[in-house]
Amino acid sequence: MKKIAILTSGGDAPGMNACLRACVRYAIYNNLEVYGVERGYLGLINDDIFPMNTRSVSGIVQRGGTILKSARSQEFCTEEGIKKAAANLHVHGITTLIVIGGDGTFKGGKALSDNYDVNVIGIPGTIDNDLQYTDFTIGFDTAVNTCLWAINSLRDTMDSHDRASLVEVMGRHCGDIALHAGICGGAEYILTPEVPFDLDEIAKGLKRGGSRGKTSNMIVFAEGAGNRDEIVKYLSEKSGVKITTTRIGHIQRGGSPTAFDRMLAVRLATRAIDCILQGKRNSVVGIHNNQIIDMPIKDALELPRSFDKRLYEIARVLAL
Ligand code: F6P
């Protein structure tokens, strides 16, 4: 019987468990022998590899986080670490590894498949939505909804006191969470790492807001868009408007996955197993125009990242 292993790596994302559950059960149904790996690539190096059955994934479809646990392993970034990981897989007779994670996870998987005889299949699981080849990653929708909940709550109290609020969401290099949560929350300003912004213009807008009858102003700020505290100080001083700061932080990485993320997890997981059954090698699965797709890892990683500028412009227009 063909043996496969599954791991989750990098920042966890809501829906990873739903994905794992679908992988395990659909694989077993198709006569594959399934192993789990604890703590991502670190677990591969430490040989934390254990057999899984259909009951191993009971009661997790609704749970955020990952029961396999996750880690960012420095050791796996070394040649020695990759070699150890591959050797452990070979000892168990495991020929295929499913990795659920983001960009870094896929790069790790590629390093493993390039140099050792391991077939790696990647499933996109990250709240960041920063993989170009797929329209959505598992966990993004839940994270956006969590941020939106916070923005809605803030708006209530900001309105009552005629205040402005800056809310920081995650995204060191990718402004997708800010863009989507900002649009859905009716943000007046969305600051992301991808689009330059003019603080003097924003300060003027904050002042003008009052004269246009706006009773509150919401700035949604992606963490990688600049120095948050300096920006708040500058805007407050220039506009004379009091700006409160809220950092949503790791709350947006947890929580029960939305229906969208669970469906996506199921569709991607089953396609990943189908890839294995069809003998596809070193591929990633994704979603494009609501169709599930697969492509070589190498091609997916080579695509340059682009940001939806049109949506960004629409956000500006809708905030007038
Ligand atoms: O990779 C996902 C992510 O959530 C980023 O958006 C964020 O900047 C980072 O992880 C935080 O990582 P950590 O939890 O390791 O501080």
Side-chain angles (χ1 to χ4, degrees):
M1 212 191 261
K2 192 169 185 165
K3 294 183 181 181
I4 68 165
I6 309 173
L7 60 77
T8 50
S9 166
D12 63 350
M16 278 184 163
N17 279 328
C19 182
L20 174 68
R21 171 179 177 269
C23 281
V24 170
R25 292 191 175 167
Y26 190 65
I28 291 172
Y29 174 80
N30 283 289
N31 299 314
L32 299 174
E33 199 173 320
V34 184
Y35 288 76
V37 182
E38 247 183 31
R39 294 186 178 78
Y41 292 116
L42 185 65
L44 272 191
I45 293 172
N46 295 339
D47 197 19
D48 289 330
I49 301 172
F50 57 93
M52 297 188 87
N53 59 40
T54 52
R55 294 276 69 78
S56 316
V57 288
S58 294
I60 63 167
V61 73
Q62 78 286 7
R63 282 173 58 189
T66 160
I67 61 160
L68 288 181
K69 297 188 176 285
S70 193
R72 301 187 200 271
S73 166
Q74 283 312 316
E75 198 182 344
F76 190 74
C77 299
T78 66
E79 209 36 64
E80 202 45 41
I82 300 175
K83 196 170 165 188
K84 248 197 235 172
N88 284 335
L89 284 171
H90 290 149
V91 167
H92 287 275
I94 295 163
T95 51
T96 297
L97 176 68
I98 294 182
V99 298
I100 309 172
D103 187 58
T105 302
F106 285 6
K107 284 183 182 144
K110 184 174 175 299
L112 194 59
S113 64
D114 278 350
N115 302 309
Y116 300 91
D117 189 23
V118 180
N119 177 27
V120 176
I121 306 290
I123 304 180
T126 162
I127 63 163
D128 289 341
N129 207 39
D130 58 351
L131 289 161
Q132 184 60 32
Y133 79 95
T134 183
D135 294 346
F136 296 107
T137 55
I138 297 166
F140 173 67
D141 185 65
T142 308
V144 167
N145 277 289
T146 302
C147 293
L148 191 55
W149 171 85
I151 291 168
N152 290 341
S153 299
L154 276 167
R155 183 74 91 173
D156 290 344
T157 169
M158 291 301 119
D159 264 343
S160 309
H161 291 271
D162 297 327
R163 280 184 185 164
S165 191
L166 179 142
V167 54
E168 181 189 289
V169 302
M170 280 186 171
R172 278 184 288 218
H173 309 289
C174 179
D176 277 22
I177 296 179
L179 179 63
H180 287 239
I183 288 181
C184 297
E188 275 70 25
Y189 304 97
I190 300 173
L191 310 186
T192 72
E194 294 92 344
V195 186
F197 45 87
D198 180 341
L199 288 180
D200 292 324
E201 273 306 307
I202 297 174
K204 268 192 222 152
L206 288 174
K207 257 199 228 161
R208 267 201 318 267
S211 59
R212 292 203 319 272
K214 279 195 183 276
T215 54
S216 68
N217 274 286
M218 182 67 62
I219 305 168
V220 177
F221 172 85
E223 63 183 331
N227 183 316
R228 182 199 61 209
D229 295 338
E230 278 175 16
I231 289 174
V232 168
K233 189 166 176 287
Y234 188 84
L235 288 177
S236 305
E237 282 170 7
K238 271 266 166 177
S239 65
V241 174
K242 182 175 164 55
I243 303 172
T244 62
T245 303
T246 304
R247 182 171 178 262
I248 302 177
H250 285 81
I251 290 173
Q252 71 202 280
R253 259 205 351 223
S256 185
T258 58
F260 180 89
D261 273 333
R262 296 184 204 191
M263 278 304 296
L264 183 61
V266 167
R267 293 176 76 192
L268 294 177
T270 49
R271 178 62 165 258
I273 301 299
D274 283 339
C275 283
I276 296 169
L277 297 171
Q278 290 159 11
K280 290 194 177 161
R281 295 188 63 78
N282 306 322
S283 303
V284 290
V285 295
I287 185 165
H288 184 54
N289 294 336
N290 203 24
Q291 298 299 312
I292 302 299
I293 54 161
D294 61 76
M295 67 163 72
I297 297 185
K298 185 177 158 296
D299 296 353
L301 287 175
E302 275 170 7
L303 288 176
R305 174 93 193 113
S306 76
F307 185 65
D308 195 336
K309 295 259 171 58
R310 177 168 155 71
L311 208 49
Y312 191 84
E313 283 313 313
I314 287 173
R316 272 193 224 248
V317 172
L318 298 186
L320 287 175

PDB file of all heavy atoms in Angstrom, residues 2 5 12 28 36 80 93 117 123 154 171 175 201-202 209 246 258-259:
ATOM      1  N   LYS A   2       0.524   2.235  -0.831  1.00  0.00           N
ATOM      2  CA  LYS A   2       1.330   3.448  -0.909  1.00  0.00           C
ATOM      3  C   LYS A   2       1.209   4.259   0.396  1.00  0.00           C
ATOM      4  O   LYS A   2       0.105   4.434   0.914  1.00  0.00           O
ATOM      5  CB  LYS A   2       0.808   4.269  -2.089  1.00  0.00           C
ATOM      6  CG  LYS A   2       1.694   5.399  -2.487  1.00  0.00           C
ATOM      7  CD  LYS A   2       1.202   5.962  -3.816  1.00  0.00           C
ATOM      8  CE  LYS A   2       2.131   7.016  -4.326  1.00  0.00           C
ATOM      9  NZ  LYS A   2       1.905   7.322  -5.727  1.00  0.00           N
ATOM     10  N   ALA A   5       2.465  11.041   3.882  1.00  0.00           N
ATOM     11  CA  ALA A   5       2.482  11.761   5.160  1.00  0.00           C
ATOM     12  C   ALA A   5       1.935  13.167   4.936  1.00  0.00           C
ATOM     13  O   ALA A   5       1.980  13.693   3.811  1.00  0.00           O
ATOM     14  CB  ALA A   5       3.904  11.826   5.715  1.00  0.00           C
ATOM     15  N   ASP A  12      -0.298  29.088  11.421  1.00  0.00           N
ATOM     16  CA  ASP A  12      -1.491  28.245  11.258  1.00  0.00           C
ATOM     17  C   ASP A  12      -2.621  29.060  10.617  1.00  0.00           C
ATOM     18  O   ASP A  12      -2.529  30.293  10.510  1.00  0.00           O
ATOM     19  CB  ASP A  12      -1.925  27.633  12.595  1.00  0.00           C
ATOM     20  CG  ASP A  12      -2.328  28.687  13.609  1.00  0.00           C
ATOM     21  OD1 ASP A  12      -2.097  29.885  13.364  1.00  0.00           O
ATOM     22  OD2 ASP A  12      -2.877  28.318  14.658  1.00  0.00           O
ATOM     23  N   ILE A  28      -7.584   7.395   2.853  1.00  0.00           N
ATOM     24  CA  ILE A  28      -7.814   6.029   3.362  1.00  0.00           C
ATOM     25  C   ILE A  28      -8.884   5.334   2.513  1.00  0.00           C
ATOM     26  O   ILE A  28      -8.756   4.162   2.148  1.00  0.00           O
ATOM     27  CB  ILE A  28      -8.193   6.065   4.860  1.00  0.00           C
ATOM     28  CG1 ILE A  28      -6.955   6.488   5.668  1.00  0.00           C
ATOM     29  CG2 ILE A  28      -8.721   4.715   5.334  1.00  0.00           C
ATOM     30  CD1 ILE A  28      -7.202   6.753   7.138  1.00  0.00           C
ATOM     31  N   GLY A  36       0.799  11.153   9.965  1.00  0.00           N
ATOM     32  CA  GLY A  36       0.803  12.571  10.310  1.00  0.00           C
ATOM     33  C   GLY A  36       2.206  12.942  10.783  1.00  0.00           C
ATOM     34  O   GLY A  36       2.945  12.092  11.293  1.00  0.00           O
ATOM     35  N   GLU A  80      21.645  20.018   5.827  1.00  0.00           N
ATOM     36  CA  GLU A  80      21.679  18.906   6.786  1.00  0.00           C
ATOM     37  C   GLU A  80      20.257  18.557   7.257  1.00  0.00           C
ATOM     38  O   GLU A  80      19.875  17.387   7.356  1.00  0.00           O
ATOM     39  CB  GLU A  80      22.553  19.356   7.974  1.00  0.00           C
ATOM     40  CG  GLU A  80      23.143  18.250   8.808  1.00  0.00           C
ATOM     41  CD  GLU A  80      23.751  17.111   7.983  1.00  0.00           C
ATOM     42  OE1 GLU A  80      24.427  17.370   6.950  1.00  0.00           O
ATOM     43  OE2 GLU A  80      23.503  15.960   8.370  1.00  0.00           O
ATOM     44  N   GLY A  93       9.186   4.422   4.770  1.00  0.00           N
ATOM     45  CA  GLY A  93       8.673   3.956   3.469  1.00  0.00           C
ATOM     46  C   GLY A  93       7.665   4.922   2.864  1.00  0.00           C
ATOM     47  O   GLY A  93       6.842   4.552   2.022  1.00  0.00           O
ATOM     48  N   ASP A 117      14.376  11.959  -3.148  1.00  0.00           N
ATOM     49  CA  ASP A 117      13.290  11.313  -3.871  1.00  0.00           C
ATOM     50  C   ASP A 117      11.988  11.339  -3.060  1.00  0.00           C
ATOM     51  O   ASP A 117      11.524  10.318  -2.567  1.00  0.00           O
ATOM     52  CB  ASP A 117      13.722   9.872  -4.197  1.00  0.00           C
ATOM     53  CG  ASP A 117      12.730   9.224  -5.138  1.00  0.00           C
ATOM     54  OD1 ASP A 117      12.022   9.970  -5.851  1.00  0.00           O
ATOM     55  OD2 ASP A 117      12.638   7.978  -5.142  1.00  0.00           O
ATOM     56  N   ILE A 123      -0.774  22.194  -0.428  1.00  0.00           N
ATOM     57  CA  ILE A 123      -2.138  22.746  -0.317  1.00  0.00           C
ATOM     58  C   ILE A 123      -2.005  24.116   0.351  1.00  0.00           C
ATOM     59  O   ILE A 123      -1.398  24.229   1.421  1.00  0.00           O
ATOM     60  CB  ILE A 123      -3.052  21.828   0.531  1.00  0.00           C
ATOM     61  CG1 ILE A 123      -3.075  20.409  -0.049  1.00  0.00           C
ATOM     62  CG2 ILE A 123      -4.468  22.410   0.613  1.00  0.00           C
ATOM     63  CD1 ILE A 123      -3.970  19.438   0.731  1.00  0.00           C
ATOM     64  N   LEU A 154     -15.594  48.383  16.425  1.00  0.00           N
ATOM     65  CA  LEU A 154     -14.908  49.666  16.596  1.00  0.00           C
ATOM     66  C   LEU A 154     -15.734  50.803  16.034  1.00  0.00           C
ATOM     67  O   LEU A 154     -15.818  51.886  16.618  1.00  0.00           O
ATOM     68  CB  LEU A 154     -13.567  49.626  15.860  1.00  0.00           C
ATOM     69  CG  LEU A 154     -12.411  49.006  16.623  1.00  0.00           C
ATOM     70  CD1 LEU A 154     -11.256  48.754  15.684  1.00  0.00           C
ATOM     71  CD2 LEU A 154     -11.986  49.946  17.753  1.00  0.00           C
ATOM     72  N   GLY A 171      -0.283  40.972   7.759  1.00  0.00           N
ATOM     73  CA  GLY A 171       0.122  41.079   6.359  1.00  0.00           C
ATOM     74  C   GLY A 171       1.417  41.857   6.271  1.00  0.00           C
ATOM     75  O   GLY A 171       1.401  43.087   6.186  1.00  0.00           O
ATOM     76  N   GLY A 175      -1.265  42.852   1.350  1.00  0.00           N
ATOM     77  CA  GLY A 175      -2.337  43.663   1.927  1.00  0.00           C
ATOM     78  C   GLY A 175      -3.731  43.109   1.701  1.00  0.00           C
ATOM     79  O   GLY A 175      -4.721  43.834   1.866  1.00  0.00           O
ATOM     80  N   GLU A 201      -2.286  63.849   2.502  1.00  0.00           N
ATOM     81  CA  GLU A 201      -3.618  63.752   1.891  1.00  0.00           C
ATOM     82  C   GLU A 201      -4.602  63.112   2.863  1.00  0.00           C
ATOM     83  O   GLU A 201      -5.759  63.538   2.988  1.00  0.00           O
ATOM     84  CB  GLU A 201      -3.550  62.881   0.616  1.00  0.00           C
ATOM     85  CG  GLU A 201      -3.183  63.628  -0.651  1.00  0.00           C
ATOM     86  CD  GLU A 201      -4.104  64.828  -0.897  1.00  0.00           C
ATOM     87  OE1 GLU A 201      -5.332  64.618  -0.888  1.00  0.00           O
ATOM     88  OE2 GLU A 201      -3.599  65.958  -1.055  1.00  0.00           O
ATOM     89  N   ILE A 202      -4.133  62.071   3.532  1.00  0.00           N
ATOM     90  CA  ILE A 202      -5.021  61.377   4.483  1.00  0.00           C
ATOM     91  C   ILE A 202      -5.388  62.321   5.632  1.00  0.00           C
ATOM     92  O   ILE A 202      -6.553  62.406   6.042  1.00  0.00           O
ATOM     93  CB  ILE A 202      -4.355  60.084   5.015  1.00  0.00           C
ATOM     94  CG1 ILE A 202      -4.122  59.101   3.861  1.00  0.00           C
ATOM     95  CG2 ILE A 202      -5.222  59.421   6.094  1.00  0.00           C
ATOM     96  CD1 ILE A 202      -3.356  57.849   4.230  1.00  0.00           C
ATOM     97  N   GLY A 209     -13.421  65.156   6.549  1.00  0.00           N
ATOM     98  CA  GLY A 209     -14.484  64.195   6.869  1.00  0.00           C
ATOM     99  C   GLY A 209     -15.560  64.841   7.718  1.00  0.00           C
ATOM    100  O   GLY A 209     -16.757  64.692   7.467  1.00  0.00           O
ATOM    101  N   THR A 246      -5.950  50.064  17.305  1.00  0.00           N
ATOM    102  CA  THR A 246      -6.295  48.707  17.754  1.00  0.00           C
ATOM    103  C   THR A 246      -5.521  47.707  16.907  1.00  0.00           C
ATOM    104  O   THR A 246      -5.543  47.788  15.677  1.00  0.00           O
ATOM    105  CB  THR A 246      -7.811  48.434  17.571  1.00  0.00           C
ATOM    106  OG1 THR A 246      -8.526  49.437  18.275  1.00  0.00           O
ATOM    107  CG2 THR A 246      -8.193  47.061  18.090  1.00  0.00           C
ATOM    108  N   THR A 258     -14.817  29.572   8.584  1.00  0.00           N
ATOM    109  CA  THR A 258     -16.088  29.862   7.920  1.00  0.00           C
ATOM    110  C   THR A 258     -16.466  28.695   7.001  1.00  0.00           C
ATOM    111  O   THR A 258     -15.616  27.852   6.656  1.00  0.00           O
ATOM    112  CB  THR A 258     -15.957  31.120   7.040  1.00  0.00           C
ATOM    113  OG1 THR A 258     -14.907  30.887   6.087  1.00  0.00           O
ATOM    114  CG2 THR A 258     -15.639  32.355   7.854  1.00  0.00           C
ATOM    115  N   ALA A 259     -17.720  28.703   6.563  1.00  0.00           N
ATOM    116  CA  ALA A 259     -18.179  27.668   5.617  1.00  0.00           C
ATOM    117  C   ALA A 259     -17.318  27.719   4.353  1.00  0.00           C
ATOM    118  O   ALA A 259     -16.936  26.676   3.800  1.00  0.00           O
ATOM    119  CB  ALA A 259     -19.652  27.894   5.279  1.00  0.00           C
TER     120      ALA A 259
END
